[in-house]
């Protein structure tokens, strides 16, 4: 058992001293909020030294851990709190290195204090943080024994989380920053981009003057506000160390949140403070670049808020809203009321020239046929053909889209397709954000939803993938599915169910990939899909994904589409 170093008399003396110390220091902070709250720990030396002893108000009882590193002990305050002080009363077996951490869920932790040179005894730590849980993360013992605490006391103010009437205060409010970027890498990346409610636009500090510490961005809420929550959606150039600050005059600042362990991506911070101005003040960058945010959202009451645009209504995945069954006579063109042919060379180093419906016709048996042919298009320009070496496009195919004929937000989208498959072939069924055309929003900022892609070099596989500014191209967020047989051997039904919180992708009624919005924002980047998209059907040859055609490529190849249906 762990050694006993104190006599009962000495314990009593320390208890009296501790009460005196606490009565002198707690008045400078909020009230004691940890007493008799639930406590858990990584271990206990025995049942005689439970974690609960640290919050029982009795300085003669203690918790002791097992004799190893690391260990932890945490208190559940019962509700989110603004924490401003922690007092630790160590037994002789103290921690030389530890962190004080907070969490809203007991899982994701923010470090608000750290030391590697603790000397034990009674430590009064003035700190700033917010959370329901407060944890001591103990990483280096000062003795050969474990860790032992007489008391673990947390001071602050509970009930500081968002209330039922709290709303978004920052939408379209003026923002200023230490600098901003405007060049080929980040055009017009101004402070206003963090309040525009568009997750595909961002602010970044200047590439010439702003890749320094500190860096900051401030939002003017228009009037004094009670701030309860801040949401930061970071670009990879995020802050490791930063504060959220409030001010009445944009000059004198008060910190309401501080961390030295920022993790980037999406951070949702429960805070408590009052002011007209809210600032992210970064003091340590995550990499050699500056600071960059897709969104900086402030929630609370007061201010002078402008209501943000509402999300589109939730879809009904069983109500048919639009379809094309492709039942036209043989050799007829796709319905011009539903589809527009895209004409010209492809992108992504593809080798085909898309024709004006010459390669997209009804087959007369209820299918649309998109045919890839070896056929030169005089006067066109493509990457060099690996077979002939010519830079005149040596292949033709078809590509159809529904822009300005049918576009929509959310729903179940499905198509029954028999793909073409040969070396270098790339048939696809997908959607692109309508703002690509309507407002000239560049790819991938407009958002792309690939319901089905097949590449001829992987005969049994299909892909479903999302593309956005923070994840695109080879870094897109997606999933590969092996069907266990050649994909081109039969028709298959490819589908996605899409709403404001998720997308689930299906093949032949089997779900194989779900994108959870919350998880995406926490691990990859912004969700950019809450707006109209249009449908695309095409079959490419060559390009970055499938690779080039070659001696094994068999042409012509037909992609057959039985139907496309959208349920909303």
């Amino acid at each position: 058992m762990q050694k006993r170093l104190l006599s009962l008399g000495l314990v009593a003396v320390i208890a009296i001293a501790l009460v005196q110390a606490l009565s002198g220091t707690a008045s400078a902070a909020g009230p004691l909020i940890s007493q008799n709250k639930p406590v858990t720990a990584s271990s206990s030396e025995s049942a005689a030294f439970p974690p609960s002893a640290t919050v029982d108000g009795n300085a003669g009882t203690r918790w002791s851990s097992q004799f190893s590193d690391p260990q932890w002990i945490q208190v559940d305050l019962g509700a989110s709190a603004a924490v401003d002080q922690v007092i630790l009363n160590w037994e002789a077996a103290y921690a030389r290195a530890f962190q004080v951490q907070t969490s809203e869920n007991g899982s994701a932790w923010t470090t608000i204090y750290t030391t590697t040179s603790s000397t034990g005894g009674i430590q009064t730590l003035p700190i700033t943080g917010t959370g329901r849980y407060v944890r001591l993360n103990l990483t280096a013992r000062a003795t050969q024994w474990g860790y032992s605490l007489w008391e673990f006391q947390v001071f602050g103010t509970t009930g500081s989380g968002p209330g039922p009437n709290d709303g978004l205060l920052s939408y379209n409010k003026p923002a200023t920053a230490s600098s901003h970027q405007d060049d080929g890498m980040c055009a017009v990346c101004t402070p206003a981009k963090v309040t525009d409610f568009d997750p595909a636009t961002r602010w970044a500090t200047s590439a010439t003057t702003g890749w320094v510490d500190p860096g900051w961005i401030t939002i003017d809420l228009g009037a004094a506000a009670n701030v309860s929550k801040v949401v930061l959606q970071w670009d990879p150039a995020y802050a490791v160390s930063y504060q959220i600050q409030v001010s009445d005059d944009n000059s004198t600042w008060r910190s309401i949140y501080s961390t030295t362990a920022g993790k980037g991506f999406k951070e949702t911070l429960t805070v408590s403070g009052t002011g007209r101005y809210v600032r992210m003040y970064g003091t340590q960058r995550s990499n050699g670049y500056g600071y960059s945010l897709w969104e900086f959202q402030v929630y609370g009451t007061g201010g002078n808020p402008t209501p943000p645009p509402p999300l589109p209504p939730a879809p009904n995945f069983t109500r048919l809203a639009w379809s094309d069954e492709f039942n036209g006579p043989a050799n007829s063109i796709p319905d011009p009321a539903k589809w527009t042919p895209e004409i010209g060379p492809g992108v992504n180093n593809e080798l085909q020239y898309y024709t004006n419906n010459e390669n997209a016709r009804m087959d007369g048996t209820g299918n649309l046929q998109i045919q890839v042919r070896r056929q030169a298009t005089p006067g066109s320009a493509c990457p060099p053909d690996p077979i002939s070496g010519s830079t005149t496009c040596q292949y033709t195919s078809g590509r159809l889209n529904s822009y300005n004929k049918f576009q929509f937000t959310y729903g179940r989208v499905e198509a029954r397709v028999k793909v073409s498959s040969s070396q270098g072939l790339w048939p696809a069924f997908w959607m692109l954000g309508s703002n690509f055309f309507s407002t000239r929003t560049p790819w991938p900022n407009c958002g792309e939803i690939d319901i089905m892609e097949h590449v001829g070099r992987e005969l049994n596989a299909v892909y479903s993938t999302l593309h956005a500014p923070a994840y695109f191209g080879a870094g897109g967020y997606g999933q590969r599915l092996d069907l266990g047989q050649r994909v081109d051997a039969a028709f298959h039904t490819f589908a996605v169910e899409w709403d404001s919180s998720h997308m689930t992708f299906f093949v032949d009624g089997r779900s194989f990939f779900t994108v959870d919005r919350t998880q995406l924002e926490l691990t990859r980047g912004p969700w950019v899909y809450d707006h109209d998209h249009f449908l695309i059907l095409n079959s490419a040859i060559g390009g970055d994904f499938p690779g080039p055609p070659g001696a094994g490529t068999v042409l012509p190849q037909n992609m057959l589409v039985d139907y496309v249906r959208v349920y909303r």
Side-chain angles (χ1 to χ4, degrees), residues 369-389:
Q369 176 180 284
I370 300 178
Q371 187 172 85
V372 180
R373 308 170 187 155
R374 185 166 183 86
Q375 178 184 26
T377 303
S380 63
C382 281
D385 173 33
I387 297 174
S388 67

Side-chain angles (χ1 to χ4, degrees), residues 443-505:
W443 183 90
N445 299 48
C446 60
E448 177 179 325
I449 304 169
D450 296 333
I451 303 169
M452 181 279 293
E453 292 180 287
H454 169 69
V455 290
R457 58 185 165 80
E458 299 183 54
L459 297 177
N460 294 356
V462 292
Y463 290 81
S464 295
T465 311
L466 301 183
H467 300 272
Y471 45 93
F472 58 88
Y477 187 67
Q479 185 70 49
R480 177 183 184 272
L481 177 65
D482 191 319
L483 301 186
Q485 62 180 350
R486 288 184 62 126
V487 182
D488 63 344
F491 278 92
H492 298 281
T493 302
F494 304 97
V496 63
E497 292 183 353
W498 160 42
D499 61 22
S500 64
S501 65
H502 85 292
M503 294 187 207
T504 298
F505 294 85

Side-chain angles (χ1 to χ4, degrees), residues 178-436:
S178 51
S179 67
H180 75 270
Q181 191 170 355
D182 187 5
D183 55 31
M185 297 301 294
C186 195
V188 199
C189 289
T190 60
K193 299 299 175 64
V194 302
T195 65
D196 63 2
F197 216 55
D198 183 348
T201 63
R202 65 185 173 102
W203 159 75
T205 50
S206 168
T208 55
T209 63
W211 291 1
V212 295
D213 293 316
W216 54 266
I217 182 168
T218 300
I219 300 173
D220 178 359
L221 301 178
N226 295 311
V227 179
S228 59
K229 183 172 74 171
V230 167
V231 177
L232 304 174
Q233 183 78 61
W234 291 99
D235 179 69
Y238 66 91
V240 173
S241 299
Y242 66 92
Q243 297 177 40
I244 301 299
Q245 302 170 327
V246 293
S247 173
D248 302 318
D249 56 7
N250 204 22
S251 176
T252 302
W253 295 92
R254 302 178 295 277
S255 178
I256 59 173
Y257 176 85
S258 178
T259 184
T260 58
K263 295 179 173 60
F265 296 114
K266 186 175 185 177
E267 295 185 287
T268 300
L269 314 174
T270 301
V271 298
S272 180
T274 302
R276 171 173 174 167
Y277 302 87
V278 182
R279 178 167 76 169
M280 187 290 298
Y281 189 78
T283 54
Q284 182 185 351
R285 292 163 290 142
S286 60
N287 50 44
Y289 301 98
Y291 295 99
S292 185
L293 283 166
W294 299 101
E295 289 287 302
F296 179 5
Q297 296 174 354
V298 180
Y299 292 81
T301 57
N304 184 27
T306 300
L311 286 174
N316 180 342
F317 292 147
T318 64
R319 185 182 68 84
L320 184 65
W322 183 94
S323 69
D324 196 337
E325 304 297 322
F326 302 114
N327 288 326
N331 207 39
S332 62
I333 65 172
D335 186 346
K338 296 180 177 180
W339 301 101
T340 298
E342 296 187 29
I343 303 168
V347 293
N348 305 310
N349 292 311
E350 298 161 18
L351 300 175
Q352 77 287 331
Y353 187 92
Y354 289 123
T355 64
N356 186 10
N357 279 334
E358 283 107 13
N359 296 63
R361 299 291 176 115
M362 303 302 112
D363 70 357
T365 62
N367 302 308
L368 167 69
Q369 176 180 284
I370 300 178
Q371 187 172 85
V372 180
R373 308 170 187 155
R374 185 166 183 86
Q375 178 184 26
T377 303
S380 63
C382 281
D385 173 33
I387 297 174
S388 67
S390 175
T391 56
T392 297
C393 298
Q394 296 295 299
Y395 307 89
T396 59
S397 186
R399 173 163 158 161
L400 308 176
N401 76 60
S402 70
Y403 175 72
N404 256 354
K405 301 178 187 295
F406 180 70
Q407 49 207 32
F408 60 100
T409 307
Y410 310 150
R412 177 181 171 88
V413 188
E414 67 178 40
R416 186 170 182 263
V417 181
K418 186 174 186 290
V419 304
S420 50
S421 188
S422 191
Q423 180 183 344
L425 267 289
W426 187 5
F429 169 47
W430 50 298
M431 297 189 288
L432 197 64
S434 297
N435 52 354
F436 179 77

